[in-house]
Amino acid sequence: MKFKLLLALTMISFNSLAAISATNSLNDESGQLINRVVVAEGGWATVKFTVPLVPSNGSTASCVASWNKDSLSFSTKTPDGGAILSLLLAAQVSGKKVYAQGTGNCNVTSNAESWNFGWIVN
């Protein structure tokens, strides 16, 4: 009985992840390599990936400039921003890919989508 319950819960968990992943298409789940990370004196930072990001709704946010379709921005002045910067630099130094999703707006810089969440792939 315990085995059947564990199996059922595991299947529910995997089905939930598949549903979440299917709607998370800003960047391919396999991730993208980082081209560069730019940090400015004012505390904002932008990560530029090697290829343009793929919008989840079919179109890029209207605030994103044509030269920033491969970028996500964040603030380094917060603990969250420090963690994002650490994640990106660790991935870049190790040559690993990053999966990332934006917020759909340009709250940090006026011409690049803001970072929502992400992780190092592989």
Side-chain angles (χ1 to χ4, degrees), residues 8 34 96 102:
I34 297 169
K96 299 209 178 230

Side-chain angles (χ1 to χ4, degrees), residues 91-114:
Q92 190 174 30
V93 166
S94 62
K96 299 209 178 230
K97 294 180 178 182
V98 172
Y99 172 84
Q101 185 174 40
T103 60
N105 56 50
C106 300
N107 289 338
V108 179
T109 62
S110 62
N111 58 13
E113 188 169 357
S114 300

Side-chain angles (χ1 to χ4, degrees), residues 47-69:
V47 57
K48 289 193 140 318
F49 293 96
T50 55
V51 297
L53 303 176
V54 179
S56 59
N57 64 357
S59 64
T60 305
S62 61
C63 57
V64 176
S66 60
W67 62 87
N68 276 337
K69 293 184 186 281

